[in-house]
Amino acid sequence: MPSDGVGETESDAFDPTRTVGEIGERAIITMFTRAAAARPAGTAEDTPTTGDIVIGSGDDAAVFDVGPTVISTDTVVQDRHFRLDWSTPEQIGARAVIQSAADIAAMGGRTVGVVVSLACPAHTEVGWVLRLNDAIVCATHELGARVLGGDLVQADEVVVSITVVGALDGLAPVTLSGARPGDVLAVSGPLGAAAAGLAVLSRSGPGPLERWRRDDDPRAAVAAAFLLPTPDLLQGMIAGRAGAHAMTDVSDGLVEELVTLARSSGVTVNVRADAVPRPAAVTRTAALLGADIRRWVLTGGEDHQLLGSFAPGVVPAGWTAIGTVEAGPAAVVVDGEPLTELHGWQAFG
C-alpha cells in the first residue's frame, strides 16, 4: 500500500515497531493528515479528483460544497467483523471504505469524502496503524474521493468507523421504497464469494492461501473475496442515471436485502436462485467442501454488489436479471416458494 507523505518522511522519524501509546495521538494524527493530503503512490494519474472539498483534513472539521448530500456510517469491530490473524491492516482499511461507500452507491450517489474514526489499544504498533491508514486513503482515492479527517482514541480492541459523504449530482436519490409491480430485479455483479471465503477461512484459516494460489485452488479466490471485496461501485451512479426505481447494496445477504426492499416498497419480489450470478470459484469451492452453494448465494453477505429494481428494458449493461416485482403483500418468493428459513447476516444474531 502507498505511503506518500508518511512512509518516506514520518516513518523515517519513528520506528514503526513502536506503539501508538509511545508515539502519542498528536504525532499519529499528523501522519494521517499528511497522508490524506497526498495522492497515494500507485494511484492512476487519471483517477478523478473531487473539486467539491473546500477545507479537507487538518482543521477542526471539513467543509464541502456538493449540493444535496448523501451520508452513511459503518463500523467494523475486531473479532466481530474481522480477525487480526486473518486480515492485513491493508485489507481491513480498504474493506471498511468499500462497505461504507457501497451505501452511497446504493442511493445512486458518488463518494466525495470519508471521515475515519479509529480506536485501538495503546500497544498497537505504529507501523500497523500507518498501513491501515494508507489503505483507507488509497481506497478513498480510487473512488475519486478524499479523506476529510477523523478521530483517534484508545480502546481495548480495534474498531474502525467510516462515515462517507456523497453527492447526487442533480439526480433524485434512489430509495428502497420505489420498486413497482412489473419491474425487473437485477444485481450488478456475482454473489456468494464472500460467504464461500468465510467458510474456507473458518475451516482452514489463512495459512494455506499461498499454496492455494500456486495450485490455482478456488479457495484462494473466495478467501480473497471475503477479505477484500471488489464491487464496481460506479454502477450505483450508472443505475441512477438509467432510472432505477429502487436500490440497495448486498451487505447482509441477498434474501435480507430482498425482504427490506419488499417491505419498504410494499410489493412481492419473486427471484430465481439459479439466475443469481456467482463466480466459478464459488461453484468449485462448494464442490470441494460439499457445501450448499444456493445458501451461500442467497444468504451470504459482504459482497457489496448492488441490487436494483428497474423498468423492463432499462437494466444497465453488465447487470443480471434475477427476478421480478409483483403487486401483492410485502413478501419474498424464491423459486416459487415463500421465503421461510433462509436469512442473512443479523447484527445481533
Side-chain angles (χ1 to χ4, degrees):
M1 279 295 172
S3 55
D4 272 276
V6 177
E8 297 177 2
T9 303
E10 296 296 339
S11 291
D12 288 342
F14 295 107
D15 179 351
T17 65
R18 295 181 69 188
T19 69
V20 295
E22 292 171 332
I23 297 301
E25 177 187 12
R26 185 176 296 277
I28 298 294
I29 290 176
T30 296
M31 292 186 243
F32 285 178
T33 301
R34 292 182 180 180
R39 178 186 290 274
T43 303
E45 290 298 325
D46 60 353
T47 299
T49 57
T50 177
D52 308 307
I53 307 303
V54 179
I55 299 175
S57 179
D59 219 303
D60 286 328
V63 179
F64 56 94
D65 181 13
V66 295
T69 58
V70 191
I71 299 176
S72 183
T73 297
D74 266 304
T75 299
V76 293
V77 180
Q78 178 183 337
D79 297 327
R80 177 62 172 169
H81 302 99
F82 63 88
R83 287 175 47 167
L84 297 180
D85 59 334
W86 286 6
S87 298
T88 65
E90 288 86 355
Q91 290 166 333
I92 295 166
R95 192 173 189 259
V97 171
I98 289 166
Q99 72 178 58
S100 297
D103 290 328
I104 302 300
M107 300 295 291
R110 66 177 171 91
T111 298
V112 173
V114 167
V115 178
V116 185
S117 178
L118 171 63
C120 64
H123 60 73
T124 307
E125 289 187 353
V126 171
W128 191 96
V129 172
L130 294 181
R131 289 168 61 193
L132 175 84
N133 183 68
D134 281 350
I136 290 171
V137 172
C138 185
T140 301
H141 274 252
E142 288 175 355
L143 293 168
R146 294 292 176 270
V147 174
L148 304 178
D151 189 31
L152 176 66
V153 65
Q154 182 177 339
D156 294 333
E157 59 192 357
V158 178
V159 180
V160 184
S161 292
I162 302 283
T163 298
V164 182
V165 179
L168 292 170
D169 295 334
L171 295 175
V174 185
T175 67
L176 279 162
S177 61
R180 308 170 187 175
D183 277 359
V184 176
L185 290 171
V187 290
S188 63
L191 302 177
L198 176 59
V200 164
L201 290 167
S202 297
R203 291 189 181 201
S204 305
L209 280 176
E210 286 304 319
R211 174 169 55 82
W212 289 339
R213 290 190 187 101
R214 289 195 304 269
D215 296 344
D216 191 30
D217 189 305
R219 287 173 288 189
V222 297
F226 171 75
L227 295 172
L228 183 55
T230 56
D232 178 5
L233 298 183
L234 293 179
Q235 292 299 324
M237 290 184 290
I238 290 171
R241 292 176 185 138
H245 292 156
M247 192 157 51
T248 188
D249 78 301
V250 183
S251 57
D252 295 331
L254 180 61
V255 292
E256 291 294 327
E257 314 306 347
L258 289 168
V259 167
T260 302
L261 188 147
R263 289 175 177 173
S264 297
S265 295
V267 294
T268 296
V269 296
N270 194 327
V271 301
R272 305 181 313 280
D274 62 359
V276 181
R278 70 286 309 266
V282 172
T283 303
R284 293 172 60 199
T285 301
L288 280 173
L289 302 186
D292 181 358
I293 189 172
R294 183 175 183 269
R295 184 171 291 273
W296 283 348
V297 169
L298 292 177
T299 70
E302 300 186 292
D303 291 297
H304 298 296
Q305 303 290 353
L306 302 176
L307 167 69
S309 177
F310 301 87
V314 300
V315 176
W319 288 60
T320 302
I322 63 169
T324 56
V325 178
E326 302 167 2
V332 176
V333 177
V334 180
D335 294 334
E337 298 291 335
L339 183 68
T340 53
E341 85 286 356
L342 290 176
H343 65 83
W345 170 262
Q346 305 286 335
F348 293 94

